[in-house]
Amino acid sequence: SLPWQGLKARDNREKYEKIGQKKRHVRIDDLCAGFPDAFARYVAYTRRLAFEEEPDYAMCKNMFREVLRAQDPNEPFDWQRPVNAV
């Protein structure tokens, strides 16, 4: 689950404000705990982007390609497993 799931609010406006605050203040290490380092690097990179800035899509793709290369080739991905096995 994500830290901003299940936040209570009086209305949608307040709920989205709370979600935004939580997203801005959650520590990357906490958010990405248990995941490969590429996830934390990706979140840190995207947080540094200005709103109008064009992301370096090739760099982002390469971060996750590294993760795929490090995987055991015999281990199926989550989406390759039967639904009840995930």
Side-chain angles (χ1 to χ4, degrees):
S1 69
L2 295 169
W4 48 85
Q5 289 179 314
L7 292 176
K8 305 294 182 208
R10 292 180 300 240
D11 54 35
N12 280 342
R13 182 176 173 271
E14 181 181 320
K15 182 176 181 177
Y16 295 134
E17 284 180 19
K18 286 184 174 186
I19 290 171
Q21 287 174 351
K22 188 64 142 176
K23 285 182 177 183
R24 283 188 295 278
H25 293 98
V26 69
R27 292 182 54 235
I28 293 173
D29 292 340
D30 294 337
L31 183 64
C32 299
F35 290 95
D37 183 55
F39 287 84
R41 290 191 337 257
Y42 174 79
V43 173
Y45 169 72
T46 58
R47 280 187 175 181
R48 287 190 305 268
L49 289 172
F51 181 78
E52 308 82 15
E53 191 174 352
E54 179 84 14
D56 183 345
Y57 293 110
M59 183 198 66
C60 293
K61 288 178 186 178
N62 285 332
M63 277 195 267
F64 292 108
R65 282 189 182 111
E66 291 173 21
V67 173
L68 290 175
R69 279 189 218 107
Q71 294 293 315
D72 177 353
N74 299 316
E75 181 69 24
F77 297 113
D78 288 348
W79 61 85
Q80 293 173 315
R81 295 181 180 142
V83 175
N84 58 359
V86 175

